[in-house]
Each structure stands twice: as C-alpha cells, then as structure tokens.
C-alpha cells in the first residue's frame, strides 16, 4: 500500500494547534471557492444578455470552472507530497485570488471562460489540501464535528453568494463578483500562514502524467458533447464527443489499476463504506449541484425578477442546507452515516417533487421556498455525512488520496449535472433559445411565461431522477463507520 500514498512514511504532525481553529480558518477558504460558484449562478442570465450568448455557451462560465476544479483535484495527493499541504494551500489561495481579478477584467465570453478555468485550477487544490490538513489534525472521533464546522462554507457561500452577486450586478457591476475575492484571499493567506502547523517531512512520488492526460480531457470531451445537444447540434457530433470522453475515462480506469502511483488509488474502493459513500456522492451531486443555475434563471426569465431578488429567493434553501449540515455533523459520529443519508436523500427528493409540481408561471413564492428548503436540508444532510463516511476510516497516510477522490467526484459531477441541466433546458426553450427570450418585452414576455415555466418543470425531472437513484448506494453505507485500523487493513 505504501507505493500509492502521497505522504509515504510521513509521521503524523503534532497537534500543537486545536483542530477546531484549523477548521474555522479553512471555512474562509471554502467560502471563497463556494461563493464564486453561487455568485455566478445568479449572473448567468445577465451575462448571457450582456454578451449576447446562448445558454449552452454561457453556462461554460460555471461548467468550465467546475471542470477545472475536477481536473486539478487528482493532482492534489501528489502535490501534497511534493510541496506539503500548508504550502500547497497557501499557493492555491493566492492563485485563486489572482484568477478572480483576471475574471473581473474579462472582455468577452471566451476570455471569461479562460480566466474562470484559472480560478478552477487553483480552487481544485484549495479544498483537498485543506481537507488533508484537517483530517491529519483531527482525532477520528471528532472528525464528524469538524467536517460539519468546515461545512459552514457550504452554508455561507450559497447563502450570501446569490444575494451578494445579485446586488453587485444590479447596483455596481458584474465585475465585482470576482474582485471581491481579493480581500478574502489576502485574509486567508495571513491567517493560514500564521496559524497552520508546518508541513511534516514526506516522501515524494512521481505525478501520473499519462493518467492526468487521460482523465481531464476525457471529462472535458464528455461534458462538451452534452452541451452540444443544448446548442441544437444534431447528428453524430455530440455522440462522438461523448463516446471519446467515455473511452478516455475507461482507459484511465484501466491504467489506474496497474500504475505504480495512480492519480486515484482504486484500492480505496475495496472497502464497502468508501465505495458506497462515493457512489452516493456521484449520483446525488450530479442531480443536486447540477440544478443550481436553474432556479435563478426561472425567477429572471419566467417571473421577470431582478438578479437581486433571484439571489434573495435562493437564501431559504441555502439556509436550510447549512443548518442541516451542522445538525448531522454532530449526529454522524454517534449514529453513523448509514442511518442518516438514506433519510436525507428522501427529504431532498420530496423537495424536488414539490418544486417540479408547482413550478408554474404564477407559483406561490412561499410554496417554492418550502420546496427549496426541503431540497437544501436534504442536500446538506447528505453531502457531508457521505464525505465523512468515505474518509473517516482511512489511515493518516491515506488521507490525501481519500480526500482527493471525494473532492474529484463532487466537483466533476457538479460540472456534468450543470451541463446536462443546461442542455435540457436549452432544448426546451423557444426557437432562438435564451437570446430570443431576452428580446421579448411586455405582453409578449407574459404570454411566453407558461411555456417557459413548463420547460423548467420538464428539466427538473432529471435532477429528481438522479437524487432518487442515489438512495440505492446510500443503503449500503455502514451505520457505524469502521475503525481506522480495521479499514487500513482492508485497504492494504
């Protein structure tokens, strides 16, 4: 097993700093990364109108960011061993802040997508490096509580992001959605540089460059093929891209089984808890995160609301998600993820059903808020317990590989889900797509509202199906997480 680890032979660092202090600092980094995701979600409609771009094109501002996150995550275990978790975290935060400034200076859609990719490449290292620092600092019995605290970022980012982004769009400029990351990044660098423990000596290993060249282009080809359907491309072209992406992903899997130092250590999947938890995250993340751009678009396109109002209407779901995350973060250590996650998925699925049923042109905002709160509560109570179940039983040396895999799954499936939802919605919009809707005004916009609302209703059937399907692997998650020593033996 030693050959597959990013921190081979490294001794566990002394716990000279309280793990809760580390978790609170990491929350800031998580807020910065998640804030940039949610801020952009509410801006998709405005940016599409500003740059006169189709939904299938403009969604790459969100999808390109998520895809870049996923592309870098597999290198995290190698990078932690090569540079150290603390140094890697600081460098990634600095690069993210720089990418944010560049995105704010973008002059067209291609330049913005390019700078968003820069952000994503840096952000893809922030989360796994931070999680590695936290796992190494925490005792196994307190990991659930610390993961819940670290999950505050998933509360604050989605809660503040849409409202803040909407206000900046309507009152200042869309460019400040990105510029705001600069002071946040500087604060993180100051705190983490002073408070995080120094990196312990670690053995280095080679980066699996062939594996990286198979996985990242494979994911990009797969998602590009999906978005080509949204642009109305017919024939064999989208299918060819999808087939190429699947072929590259399959080749990566075969190589990972035999490579000395694979990007993803497939032997982690030999344990039932890790396999079940990651399978749950795979299906659930595609449905849950893939819909984040849909609700703001519904409020702006169908109901004619401003970006600020659309952002404020996203807050109930985000608040419910954060509260649920904090509650289950304290329960998972006592009763186990296996008893929590299936129930949480059922709650999220019921919220999607309620939302899809009432998503008409004149639906009550109170009813929509109740549905989104169910979705948010179910999501918050599913993601973090699943991540805890996947990482709780791993040894100290396995921490980089485990956190890498978990973050890769959530970020990649978020991109797949976003692209799929955008493609389905684009295919159901009137001729001319979102650009044609922008040209409607007055009574014409009101007359088109029922048709637009129906398009959103049909699109929501995809995330509903994915979320409901996630209950199958969730039933296989252990009610009680295996002990570290036992899990380490099973993974060797």
């Amino acid at each position: 097993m030693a050959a597959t680890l990013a921190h081979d032979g490294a001794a566990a660092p002394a716990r000279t700093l309280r793990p809760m202090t580390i978790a609170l600092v990491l929350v800031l980094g998580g807020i910065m990364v998640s804030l940039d995701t949610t801020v952009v979600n509410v801006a998709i409609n405005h940016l599409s109108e500003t740059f006169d771009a189709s939904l299938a094109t403009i969604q790459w501002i969100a999808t390109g960011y998520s895809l870049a996150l996923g592309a870098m995550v597999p290198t995290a275990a190698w990078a932690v061993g090569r540079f150290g978790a603390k140094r890697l975290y600081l460098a990634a935060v600095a690069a993210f802040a720089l990418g944010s400034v560049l995105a704010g200076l973008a002059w067209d859609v291609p330049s913005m997508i390019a700078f968003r990719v820069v952000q994503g490449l840096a952000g893809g290292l922030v989360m796994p490096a931070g999680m590695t620092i936290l796992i190494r600092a925490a005792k196994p019995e307190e990991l659930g509580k610390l993961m819940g605290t670290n999950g505050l970022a998933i509360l604050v980012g989605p809660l503040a992001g849409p409202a803040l982004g909407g206000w900046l769009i309507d009152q200042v400029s869309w460019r400040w959605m990105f510029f705001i990351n600069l002071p946040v990044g500087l604060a993180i660098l100051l705190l983490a540089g002073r408070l995080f423990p120094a990196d312990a000596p670690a053995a280095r290993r080679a980066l699996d460059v062939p594996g990286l060249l198979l996985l990242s282009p494979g994911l990009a080809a797969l998602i590009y093929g999906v978005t080509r359907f949204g642009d109305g491309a017919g024939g064999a072209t989208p299918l060819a891209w999808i087939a190429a992406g699947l072929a590259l992903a399959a080749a990566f899997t075969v190589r990972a089984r035999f490579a000395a130092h694979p990007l993803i250590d497939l032997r982690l999947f030999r344990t039932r808890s890790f396999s079940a938890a990651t399978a749950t995250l795979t299906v659930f993340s595609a449905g849950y995160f893939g819909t984040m751009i849909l609700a703001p678009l519904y409020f702006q396109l169908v109901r004619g609301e401003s970006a600020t109002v659309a952002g404020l209407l996203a807050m109930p779901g985000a608040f419910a998600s954060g509260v649920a995350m904090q509650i289950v973060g304290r329960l998972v250590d006592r009763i186990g993820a296996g008893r929590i996650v299936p129930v949480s998925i059922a709650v999220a699925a019921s919220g999607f059903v309620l939302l899809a049923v009432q998503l008409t042109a004149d639906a009550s905002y109170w009813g929509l808020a109740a549905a989104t709160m169910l979705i948010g509560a179910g999501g918050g109570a599913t993601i973090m317990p699943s991540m805890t179940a996947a990482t709780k039983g791993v040894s100290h040396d396995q921490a980089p590989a485990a956190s890498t895999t978990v973050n890769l799954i959530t970020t990649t499936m978020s991109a797949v889900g976003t692209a799929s939802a955008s493609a389905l919605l684009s295919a159901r919009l009137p001729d001319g797509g979102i650009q044609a809707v922008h040209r409607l005004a007055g009574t014409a916009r009101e007359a088109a509202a029922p048709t637009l609302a129906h398009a959103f209703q049909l699109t929501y059937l995809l995330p509903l199906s994915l979320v409901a399907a996630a209950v199958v692997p969730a039933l296989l998650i252990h009610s009680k997480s295996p002990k570290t020593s036992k899990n380490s033996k099973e993974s060797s």
Side-chain angles (χ1 to χ4, degrees), residues 145-443:
K145 180 177 68 176
L146 293 171
M147 291 283 278
T149 300
N150 195 35
L152 281 171
I154 306 179
L155 165 63
V156 177
L159 189 62
L164 177 61
W167 181 80
L168 289 173
I169 290 169
D170 292 334
Q171 303 298 326
V172 188
S173 168
W174 63 263
R175 299 182 186 276
W176 277 94
M177 296 188 307
F178 304 110
F179 291 155
I180 198 171
N181 285 327
L182 182 59
V184 177
L186 292 175
I188 296 168
L189 291 174
L190 176 63
L191 291 171
R194 290 175 59 89
L195 298 177
F196 283 8
D199 293 308
R204 299 178 181 179
R205 62 169 179 164
L207 177 63
D208 181 16
V209 176
L212 186 62
L213 294 178
L214 288 172
L215 182 61
S216 298
L219 295 174
L222 175 63
I223 295 174
Y224 181 70
V226 171
T227 61
R228 288 287 289 162
F229 280 115
D231 264 336
T237 300
L239 293 176
W241 280 102
I242 292 174
L246 292 174
L248 289 171
F252 168 81
T253 302
V254 172
R255 173 181 168 74
R257 292 186 59 189
F258 303 103
H261 305 291
L263 289 176
I264 298 177
D265 184 5
L266 298 182
R267 281 170 285 192
L268 287 167
F269 291 92
R270 292 178 181 175
T271 61
R272 169 181 154 181
S273 185
F274 187 88
S275 296
T278 51
T280 301
L281 287 169
T282 297
V283 183
F284 189 87
S285 296
Y288 181 73
F289 291 112
T291 64
M292 294 301 178
I293 68 170
L294 293 181
L297 283 173
Y298 164 79
F299 288 121
Q300 293 174 80
L301 291 178
V302 179
R303 309 301 290 268
E305 301 288 3
S306 66
T308 301
V309 172
L312 290 172
L313 290 170
M315 294 179 70
F319 178 76
S321 175
V323 171
M325 193 177 304
Q326 295 307 303
I327 293 174
V328 300
R330 286 155 177 77
L331 290 176
V332 70
D333 289 325
R334 296 205 300 266
I335 65 177
R339 296 178 181 175
I340 295 175
V341 175
V343 176
S344 303
I345 292 174
V347 171
S350 66
F352 275 111
V353 171
L354 181 60
L355 183 64
V357 167
Q358 62 177 324
L359 205 64
T360 61
D362 56 355
S364 165
Y365 281 2
W366 289 107
L368 295 178
T372 56
M373 289 185 73
L374 283 175
I375 294 172
T382 297
I383 298 296
M384 292 309 295
S386 297
M387 295 176 72
T388 301
T391 58
K392 190 171 185 178
V394 303
S395 67
H396 169 268
D397 286 340
Q398 288 176 308
S403 62
T404 292
T405 303
V406 168
N407 280 280
L408 171 65
I409 287 172
T410 54
T411 53
T412 299
M413 296 313 298
S414 173
V416 171
T418 299
S420 300
S422 299
L424 286 176
L425 180 60
S426 296
R428 289 176 170 84
L429 290 176
D431 291 341
I434 193 173
Q435 294 155 290
V437 177
H438 289 152
R439 290 190 285 268
L440 297 176
T443 56

Side-chain angles (χ1 to χ4, degrees), residues 66-78:
S66 296
L67 188 59
L69 281 173
M72 285 304 291
V73 165
T75 69
W78 164 82

Side-chain angles (χ1 to χ4, degrees), residues 91-126:
V93 168
F96 189 92
L98 175 60
S100 299
V101 173
L102 293 174
L105 297 173
W107 53 90
D108 57 15
V109 174
S111 64
M112 181 178 291
I113 294 174
F115 295 140
R116 287 282 288 168
V117 168
V118 172
Q119 282 185 290
L121 293 175
L125 295 174
V126 170

Side-chain angles (χ1 to χ4, degrees), residues 20-61:
M20 183 58 72
T21 303
I22 294 176
L24 291 174
V25 175
L26 292 175
V27 165
L28 285 178
I31 288 174
M32 184 177 67
V33 176
S34 64
L35 186 71
D36 226 56
T37 301
T38 54
V39 163
V40 168
N41 287 337
V42 78
I44 290 293
N45 182 62
H46 178 83
L47 294 174
S48 172
E49 189 170 10
T50 298
F51 295 113
D52 192 26
S54 69
L55 178 58
T57 297
I58 205 70
Q59 63 87 29
W60 275 98
I61 294 174

